[in-house]
Amino acid sequence: MEEQLIHTLWGHLHWLVVLAQQGSYTAAAARLGVSKAAVSQRISELERLAGVPLVQRTTRSVRLTEAGQRLVDDTQAPFDTIAHSFASVRDLAGTPRGRLRVTAPVALARQQLVPRLADFLRQYPEVRLELELSDRLASLAMEGLDLAIRHSDQVPDTHVAWTLCPTRSVLVASPAYLARRGVPDSPQALTQHDCLHYPRSGDTPTWTFEQGTERQTIPVRGPLAANNSEALRDAALADLGIALLPDFSAQASLRSGQLQVVLAEWANVGPFARQLYAIRPYSAHVPLAVTALVQHLRQSLVGGFDLHPPQPL
């Protein structure tokens, strides 16, 4: 193949690598910032010039042929090297810049992260921040994400993690609910209450508590289960029952007095972790924008989430 023709295919090969990473034309187009038709056209051109099929298309996703996989395996590392090299050169300017793609849980981002981002973006006007709000654990490398904010007890060995702040679970209810149903004085008393909880696959929902060396696991039931802490918080605010929430979801309502802590002397064990992390896959170069955002969040989240009402002056 003529050298001039090969030079025209660098973009085509890069798009094939992105297609392999994303698993669909729609996702690849979104990652590249182009139309789905443009991606399809580039791949078709590459297949025509290669003389063999590179992609097996299905209604829901795409799979690479043996030839397509060989091309991706041989070219992905050089493209990654080029990307890292270019990022490091841009960082020589000493100013964080460029697109920064961050994923975070929905409730945490809406309630705690987004309000803290205005100062960051004003300080670094050349950074373009894209938030992917999702409670699922995304593959950062596969989805082209630069950073994940997660509450977790374990970090994958292949990733680098910065501790942002401690976090914990808290049991809460509205004053109206407690006035109507009474205040539980022990974990066992929760069996007589409406408990708002995260659904668990097929198992009887339980909450576990610790006090000193004592540990109790209590089966719970109630009118609502939801896999989002904002939904559980809003249900508690509507006087529907007692909810187990992460402190970052309960903070505003506790400080305003709309919710009250229940069984404060008992520590909740799960389902929420005890640390909030910023996580990214290991790489030799960390973009300045990533470092700047992590530093900003660590400073603004220092000490965690205070659940007590502000003291009057």
Side-chain angles (χ1 to χ4, degrees):
M1 186 177 292
E2 296 180 0
E3 183 177 352
Q4 182 178 2
L5 178 58
I6 295 176
H7 288 167
T8 67
L9 297 181
W10 297 133
H12 295 64
L13 291 168
H14 174 60
W15 286 25
L16 178 65
V17 169
V18 173
L19 178 62
Q21 292 174 335
Q22 301 300 310
S24 76
Y25 281 93
T26 300
R31 178 74 180 91
L32 292 165
V34 298
S35 69
K36 179 180 175 181
V39 178
S40 180
Q41 181 179 354
R42 282 279 184 101
I43 300 303
S44 295
E45 290 175 357
L46 191 60
E47 289 180 318
R48 178 175 57 81
L49 292 169
V52 293
L54 302 174
V55 176
Q56 295 176 336
R57 298 160 178 82
T58 68
T59 56
R60 294 187 177 181
S61 63
V62 297
R63 295 181 60 186
L64 299 184
T65 64
E66 181 180 355
Q69 189 62 56
R70 178 179 297 183
L71 274 177
V72 169
D73 291 342
D74 290 343
T75 58
Q76 183 168 355
F79 279 127
D80 289 342
T81 299
I82 292 170
H84 292 153
S85 178
F86 186 72
S88 64
V89 168
R90 294 189 67 182
D91 285 349
L92 291 176
T95 300
R97 64 182 65 196
R99 185 174 68 164
L100 185 56
R101 300 189 71 229
V102 180
T103 181
V106 177
L108 175 66
R110 284 166 48 93
Q111 298 172 48
Q112 302 292 346
L113 297 184
V114 172
R116 289 173 162 84
L117 293 177
D119 288 343
F120 172 79
L121 293 172
R122 280 192 288 265
Q123 184 177 359
Y124 302 109
E126 295 186 61
V127 174
R128 293 179 294 111
L129 191 60
E130 293 183 10
L131 285 180
E132 173 75 25
L133 304 189
S134 175
D135 291 327
R136 68 183 180 86
L137 297 176
S139 169
L140 304 188
M142 289 292 292
E143 300 191 24
L145 295 162
D146 299 296
L147 196 68
I149 310 300
R150 290 290 177 222
H151 44 109
S152 176
D153 287 324
Q154 289 185 327
V155 177
D157 293 337
T158 55
H159 288 58
V160 177
W162 297 268
T163 302
L164 298 180
C165 69
T167 181
R168 63 189 178 92
S169 304
V170 60
L171 208 61
V172 301
S174 69
Y177 174 86
L178 295 174
R180 185 174 76 248
R181 297 289 299 274
V183 179
D185 57 4
S186 69
Q188 188 62 40
L190 293 172
T191 60
Q192 304 303 314
H193 281 267
D194 294 329
C195 297
L196 312 171
H197 57 88
Y198 265 64
R200 298 300 175 190
S201 56
D203 298 331
T204 300
T206 59
W207 287 342
T208 299
F209 301 88
E210 289 182 343
Q211 186 183 65
T213 59
E214 185 177 359
R215 184 183 181 103
Q216 295 187 26
T217 297
I218 307 299
V220 296
R221 60 183 179 84
L224 177 69
N227 65 345
N228 177 270
S229 62
E230 278 188 309
L232 295 174
R233 180 205 60 192
D234 290 349
L237 288 169
D239 311 325
L240 289 180
I242 299 174
L244 182 59
L245 303 176
D247 52 4
F248 56 78
S249 275
Q251 183 186 45
S253 299
L254 287 172
R255 300 188 73 185
S256 68
Q258 294 175 288
L259 293 176
Q260 296 179 6
V261 174
V262 176
L263 297 177
E265 66 276 15
W266 288 85
N268 308 119
V269 182
F272 307 107
R274 298 182 182 181
Q275 293 290 339
L276 191 66
Y277 291 103
I279 301 171
R280 68 175 269 109
Y282 174 79
S283 64
H285 172 74
V286 180
L288 276 180
V290 170
T291 302
L293 178 59
V294 170
Q295 291 176 344
H296 174 79
L297 291 177
R298 294 185 79 172
Q299 291 171 0
S300 62
L301 290 168
V302 64
F305 306 100
D306 182 12
L307 303 181
H308 299 94
Q311 296 299 313
L313 299 176

